[in-house]
Amino acid sequence: MISKSLAEYAVEVKYEDLPKEVVEFTKLCILDWYGSALAGKGEKPIQTILELVQEWGGNEQATLITGGKSSVGNACLVNAAASHIVELDDIHKSSIIHAGTVVIPAAAAVAEAYNLNGKELITAVAVGYEICYRIGEAVSPSHYYYWHNTATCGTFGSAAAAAKLLNLTVEQTMYALGNAGSQAAGLWEFIEDGANTKQLHTAKAAYNGVLAALLAKKDFTSASRILEGRRGFFNAMSEKYDSEKITKNLGKEYKIIENSFKIHASCRHTHPAMDCVQAIMKENCLSYEHIQNISILTYQTVLNITDNPNPETVYASKFSSQFCSALIALKGSASIIDYNEEILQSLEVRELMKKVTVAVDPYYENAYPEKWGAKVVITLNDGSIFCKATDYPKGDPEKPASREELIKKFKTMTLDKIWNTDEHIQAVLRLEEIDTAEWMSLALGEEQCKQTQ
Amino acid sequence: MISKSLAEYAVEVKYEDLPKEVVEFTKLCILDWYGSALAGKGEKPIQTILELVQEWGGNEQATLITGGKSSVGNACLVNAAASHIVELDDIHKSSIIHAGTVVIPAAAAVAEAYNLNGKELITAVAVGYEICYRIGEAVSPSHYYYWHNTATCGTFGSAAAAAKLLNLTVEQTMYALGNAGSQAAGLWEFIEDGANTKQLHTAKAAYNGVLAALLAKKDFTSASRILEGRRGFFNAMSEKYDSEKITKNLGKEYKIIENSFKIHASCRHTHPAMDCVQAIMKENCLSYEHIQNISILTYQTVLNITDNPNPETVYASKFSSQFCSALIALKGSASIIDYNEEILQSLEVRELMKKVTVAVDPYYENAYPEKWGAKVVITLNDGSIFCKATDYPKGDPEKPASREELIKKFKTMTLDKIWNTDEHIQAVLRLEEIDTAEWMSLALGEEQCKQTQ
């Protein structure tokens, strides 16, 4: 009973059992999510979802990151969409999931609506990460070819986090997971158009999981073997899968600490090459004008998702390995403010992009998804050659980002978005001592502060 | 551009171009849907969804079939779930879709919220049916093994109907279809547990399609080739597919008139055999007590979905060929009131069920899904043998249900649910002369009437 084992696990975990390291790390995940949500809340697709949610209306149960309150469902839609759009949210390599953008808004909305405290929130987030990571690992990489794991597997994560917060029984948690799986959706096809669908995916993954859990609380039933069943998630949506990933060491480890944080403001698959380009340029004091060619050798998925020599929007540029490598060669950094319309249209970057080639290297292909690596060879006009390789992008557990780096990243992301930055940071970093509503009231306060200006 | 051709079609269709036959037939579909929704609104899973929707709240945009008003999204959830639970909603054989339960609640909610009239509603429903039927035909039967077509393909239908009502451009309609496809979900695994998931599927298909269309109205973008794209709906979710089904005769015919209506109150796949059992028993004046064996020979899908020798709930009994055939042999009919706990637990039916066998016959398997047929052989204790076969269940276009039969069915379904039955029937049958809100106000009036009793 694979599905049942996850439900039993979710019910058993207690805050008191979480190692201190896990509690501290989970709070950093929440901080990183919060920064992404605040950074993204003003973007057009998020404002569009907000507009619709306001037309629909809802009881004031949970804070919208954009200001005001609405129903738990509406808060999931807005807050999950907001946290995924600036492409700076966390990622877990072996499951290929951005868990934060789905699990945390779901958990925060439920915790606020049901007056739950920070300890309960932290526990639920750790459980949500654990469950969607395990499911993602079980179906990767084959599932990922068609499906956006963050959306599909993420739905189980938001359901599990909500189920934990709602104190569901094992049976009810199975209902939540079952109806999460039967709502799991999200095709990669949108990437061809650089479309807004990506934000809809995270919005709906958070919403769907919470819907499943809230219905489960009322004993709304589901498939009991949603993962392993003959017509369940594994068989229907994955060419190959490994059920053992679900149960191996379950309850004996916390996969959330395998989480990676992003430093560059683009799709994670563009990062290994960008790190190499950045290092070659810096270490050898090179100027982009002398570059004849940038050759990237990496794993197949990089090509599937980011082989785009001509991105037309700033958003699409974050999914173009050609653009991202050219940008960092040109500017030396690729933070949220480095991606803009001006640089995208500049002759310098357009010329440099033409010199970037991306190809598969069997070494990296075989190592993926455990390692997300790349080798970059830069050839200058004078014929000189520079090479750099990495098995991991910066921010991975193997090349970790420090607490201080993440606080700095939060500050950069929220630079012109919030007033009392330190208060927000402190609220998250002492979340185990406060109620979820107290943290969320800061976001509400910011909006009121702004409106009275 | 397969996906685009559907968007162009949806934009081009006008009420004035619909043949009178199509208008009349569409109203019968709406009447049949309405009956199912009224019949199902009091069931526990529907009341559970209603409870959650009430906790969430929403602006009073559209009527809930259960009483009161809420947001368009919430109305989709409640009304679509309500209309699927008594298993009497319409079905299209070659696409294996119950379109009414998804397309009509979506269209009705949008039409009411945006003050649109009956002509606009009828046109949108015809368009919604057309589009989901074509998509269902393109992916059947392979898609249907894992996926509940009503949920997955139905999402495109609700999106298309809403897009038509919202008067979207071709581009916006493509966005609506694109984001419908990227939300399409619904696995058959729940059937093993006879779980409430089935109602969640239709609820969410209606909701997701409308969400996609309302966002599209605000230019929220999506994949432009959601069906045919490399990582789109066809490739991801179907072993085989036939794109030609999408475009062949598009705009030259109206597939809604291929719709089948159900007379027996169970899963459609149980019907061909039930018709044969009913005819053998009646024509030969047989009594169930003399039956030694009922042998059903049919297509594989009947076994996949309804081979259940021991259903434990009334709901599950509607998905058991063994129970359904035993029931109709015993009672001579299988209407909504014939399915109940008492008969399910009765010794007579339990004994008779043990005598029912279901097996595949190559003739019916090869003819499926164009024909949903079965052959039944009943052997009596005295050794005498009776045989009956059909290529189509009653209510199929080849064995059509008349307007009068459908009105009679509506009355049976709503017997103890509404007060002024004739007024409801008349409102739907002259829908082209009134506003959607006028029709829906009857449902509201009924609730008020009941409450003041």
Side-chain angles (χ1 to χ4, degrees), chain A residues 272-273 276 294-299 302-303 357-365 373-377 387-390:
Chain A
C276 295
I294 299 176
S295 163
I296 299 170
L297 297 164
T298 187
Y299 50 96
V302 174
L303 278 80
T357 58
V358 194
V360 171
D361 180 303
Y363 168 78
Y364 296 109
E365 175 59 10
K375 180 161 73 179
V376 170
V377 182
C387 182
K388 194 93 187 178
T390 184

Side-chain angles (χ1 to χ4, degrees), chain B residues 290-303:
Chain B
H290 304 133
I291 293 174
Q292 184 188 81
N293 171 261
I294 299 176
S295 163
I296 300 170
L297 297 165
T298 186
Y299 49 96
Q300 178 66 48
T301 303
V302 174
L303 278 80

